[in-house]
């Protein structure tokens, strides 16, 4: 395996952990505003990101690739309103998709089919992640100016 692919796979562990950190921060933001459903939803989202990091860790271990953990970047922003994190989430997922796509491209380039198979799960997952982020943003936009609607959506998100 090319060194630059190894580097990107190791980096992806860090990126997934940074995503978890970002979504925990969003969860905290909603929680402090008593928007409990959104807070719960982003906490779940953070655990999914942790699972993604673990998948990459397993792949690296299975392929005897050694690495050290790097500091996790704080991607959190100062959110101005309840919609802000949702916009930021969609943007962030698109960024993560671009990272996965780049590793995929390199895996194809070196005819590394086991890695391609491993990454297929992430290709599908990113389609899902972008779709989910977009849907949540759109749902929010429907009820943006209606407090009752917002509380109802918040209730629904508790079920995740
Ligand atoms: Fe992820
Ligand atoms: Fe994600």
């Amino acid at each position: 395996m090319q060194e630059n692919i190894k580097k990107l796979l190791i980096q992806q562990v860090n990126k997934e952990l940074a995503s978890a950190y970002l979504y925990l921060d969003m969860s905290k933001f909603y929680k402090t505003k008593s928007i409990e459903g959104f807070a719960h939803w982003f906490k779940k989202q953070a655990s999914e990101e942790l699972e993604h990091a673990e998948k990459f860790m397993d792949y690296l271990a299975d392929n005897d690739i050694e690495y050290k953990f790097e500091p996790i970047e704080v991607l959190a922003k100062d959110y101005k309103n309840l919609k802000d994190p949702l916009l930021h989430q969609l943007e962030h997922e698109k960024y993560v998709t671009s990272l996965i796509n780049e590793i995929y491209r390199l895996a194809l380039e070196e005819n590394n089919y086991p890695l391609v198979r491993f990454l297929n799960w992430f290709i599908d997952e990113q389609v899902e992640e972008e779709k989910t982020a977009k849907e949540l943003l759109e749902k929010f936009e429907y009820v943006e100016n209606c407090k009752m609607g917002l509380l109802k959506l918040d209730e629904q998100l508790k079920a995740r």
Side-chain angles (χ1 to χ4, degrees):
M1 192 189 293
Q2 287 173 43
E3 283 308 311
N4 58 340
I5 298 188
K6 281 186 196 172
K7 222 181 92 194
L8 290 179
L9 287 168
I10 293 164
Q11 177 188 269
Q12 199 58 34
V13 173
N14 188 277
K15 295 284 182 183
E16 298 294 343
L17 291 173
S19 301
Y21 210 20
L22 171 68
Y23 293 147
L24 280 178
D25 182 72
M26 290 180 182
S27 177
K28 169 175 75 71
F29 169 78
Y30 287 113
K31 181 87 176 168
T32 55
K33 298 203 159 359
S34 298
I35 310 291
E36 301 281 344
F38 280 79
H40 171 76
W41 196 91
F42 274 103
K43 206 188 246 182
K44 288 269 176 177
Q45 191 62 32
S47 359
E48 277 199 6
E49 300 301 349
L50 186 56
E51 283 173 24
H52 297 169
E54 286 166 348
K55 275 184 196 285
F56 279 104
M57 287 170 65
D58 287 346
Y59 181 88
L60 291 163
D62 290 344
N63 288 276
D64 300 316
I65 300 167
E66 284 183 31
Y67 62 101
K68 287 200 173 75
F69 271 14
E70 298 289 338
I72 299 170
E73 191 184 350
V74 180
L75 301 166
K77 300 232 181 336
D78 286 326
Y79 304 115
K80 292 184 293 293
N81 51 52
L82 295 178
K83 188 178 175 176
D84 245 6
L86 305 178
L87 290 165
H88 191 43
Q89 181 195 19
L90 182 56
E91 197 183 303
H92 180 70
E93 287 302 335
K94 285 181 178 171
Y95 165 65
V96 174
T97 299
S98 74
L99 297 174
I100 302 283
N101 286 351
E102 177 60 9
I103 309 175
Y104 199 89
R105 190 183 69 76
L106 293 170
L108 283 174
E109 209 173 79
E110 74 165 14
N111 299 331
N112 189 337
Y113 301 118
L115 178 56
V116 167
R117 289 206 60 154
F118 168 77
L119 290 171
N120 278 338
W121 186 89
F122 282 95
I123 296 286
D124 292 343
E125 177 66 9
Q126 281 313 117
V127 171
E128 201 54 40
E129 291 274 75
E130 283 189 34
K131 182 171 169 266
T132 313
K134 190 167 163 280
E135 274 173 7
L136 187 57
L137 174 62
E138 283 174 354
K139 278 184 190 162
F140 181 88
E141 283 170 343
Y142 288 138
V143 297
E144 213 170 355
N145 300 311
C146 163
K147 286 206 169 66
M148 278 305 288
L150 185 62
L151 288 176
K152 199 159 175 223
L153 175 58
D154 190 53
E155 272 307 312
Q156 283 174 7
L157 293 181
K158 284 181 189 165
R160 182 181 181 183

